[in-house]
Amino acid sequence: MARITAGIACSHVPAIGVAMDTGITGQPYWRPVFEGFEFSRKWARENRPDVIFLVYNDHCTAFDASCIPTFALGCAAAFAPADEGWGPRPVPVVQGHQKLASHIAQSVILDEFDLTIMNEMEVDHGLTVPLSVMFGEIPAGGAWPAPVIPLAVNVVQYPAPTANRCYDLGRAIRRAIDSYPEELNVHIYGTGGMSHQLQAERAGLINADWDKAFMDKLVNDPAAAKAISHLEFLRETGSEGIEMVMWLVMRGALDEHVTEVHRHYHVPASNTAVGHLILENHA
Ligand SMILES: [Fe+2]
């Protein structure tokens, strides 16, 4: 039987990918950001998954205003890195896991979550940056260490799904993976965040107190985390802080009680904070 053994929360700040791709991670500005991932890379080597289920949002690369799926499941054999305006990141093509993705699509849709099925999709920094920080630079011609099933969540165009809906979808994904007959060790990633606003009067907003309290709630009191309203996300975390609902999908797929094995929080990274958690299931 497939099992979800761990959940990873991780910001997907595009500048982190640029810092890696241009070899400047040792500079004073970036060093503390990447030092917080040193444990994570060691943990990732020692706890290698068979499959990664990665919840992220597309940033007008695979989708634009002509098509806005709320939840889009990547069922393709492979997902090419997208051209985000400066060319695609120099990272490997992401290999999918079509058998498990198809099983999840069937299970979750029959569980009354109406997913969009993507048999072709490019993936942007929202998906590749968390992989890069966890697995480091992949040498030319190399491959990511595991296949990835992407789930793209609309958090760009309101209305985004609620935190509660995202948590419940995580529960359904857990049921789907638990019912897959093959022995697979699955890690689930929730990406995006933390507090940030990119435009208008509050551009540059970072609310570290709220971010840290959110991380506490997510780990130890998920019922409180999933009850956070859109209005609170907007007021406390700026217009782009709504990305944190994607962490709720990850949390919903884990046990009620989890072990926090690592936490990293650092301000600033580009115009946001970096937040990162590694949570393990007990069973
Ligand atoms: Fe994002």
Side-chain angles (χ1 to χ4, degrees):
M1 211 173 79
R3 288 185 311 125
I4 296 177
T5 58
I8 290 95
C10 188
S11 305
H12 59 220
V13 184
I16 291 178
V18 175
M20 290 183 65
D21 300 341
T22 56
I24 59 169
T25 58
Q27 290 185 357
Y29 180 88
W30 287 110
R31 196 179 306 124
V33 172
F34 287 95
E35 279 175 355
F37 291 105
E38 285 173 6
F39 173 91
S40 312
R41 291 183 183 180
K42 180 169 173 288
W43 180 90
R45 283 192 298 274
E46 292 167 357
N47 296 274
R48 188 168 162 154
D50 298 311
V51 185
I52 294 168
F53 188 95
L54 199 149
V55 185
Y56 77 110
N57 70 287
D58 178 78
H59 304 77
C60 298
T61 42
F63 305 114
D64 60 25
S66 67
C67 177
I68 307 170
T70 301
F71 298 117
L73 183 70
C75 294
F79 306 91
D83 182 341
E84 302 181 49
W86 293 273
R89 291 193 59 217
V91 291
V93 169
V94 176
Q95 300 300 319
H97 193 298
Q98 287 187 294
K99 272 181 72 178
L100 180 57
S102 300
H103 171 84
I104 292 170
Q106 170 163 307
S107 175
V108 170
I109 291 170
L110 295 182
D111 218 352
E112 302 184 343
F113 281 88
D114 306 320
L115 305 178
T116 300
I117 293 172
M118 301 301 297
N119 290 323
E120 268 181 41
M121 185 164 68
E122 292 186 319
V123 291
D124 67 14
H125 67 269
L127 183 136
T128 61
V129 164
L131 294 177
S132 290
V133 295
M134 291 299 288
F135 299 109
E137 286 87 356
I138 309 291
W144 296 112
V148 177
I149 299 174
L151 179 77
V153 178
N154 167 44
V155 290
V156 170
Q157 175 68 52
Y158 277 80
T162 64
N164 186 60
R165 184 67 171 162
C166 287
Y167 182 87
D168 286 346
L169 175 59
R171 304 303 304 154
I173 291 165
R174 171 69 178 271
R175 290 190 286 274
I177 291 172
D178 279 353
S179 65
Y180 188 71
E182 192 182 330
E183 282 287 336
L184 289 175
N185 176 17
V186 181
H187 289 177
I188 182 165
Y189 284 43
T191 75
M194 302 208 68
S195 56
H196 63 304
Q197 175 149 338
L198 300 179
Q199 66 280 304
E201 288 83 357
R202 297 202 302 164
L205 177 148
I206 292 175
N207 187 345
D209 289 342
W210 195 96
D211 286 343
K212 290 173 184 171
F214 172 75
M215 291 167 97
D216 290 340
K217 274 184 200 161
L218 191 85
V219 176
N220 298 312
D221 190 2
K226 72 179 182 176
I228 297 169
S229 67
H230 278 13
L231 201 58
E232 181 173 349
F233 276 116
L234 263 174
R235 186 182 62 234
E236 301 295 335
T237 75
S239 51
E240 275 69 45
I242 192 67
E243 288 190 344
M244 278 181 272
V245 296
M246 295 185 286
W247 293 29
L248 269 300
V249 181
M250 177 275 285
R251 187 64 184 88
L254 299 182
D255 294 346
E256 187 176 349
H257 299 288
V258 292
T259 301
E260 180 181 327
V261 297
H262 184 55
R263 180 185 297 213
H264 174 39
Y265 184 83
H266 177 77
V267 178
S270 185
N271 44 16
T272 181
V274 168
H276 171 46
L277 292 166
I278 299 177
L279 308 176
E280 289 183 354
N281 272 340
H282 290 288

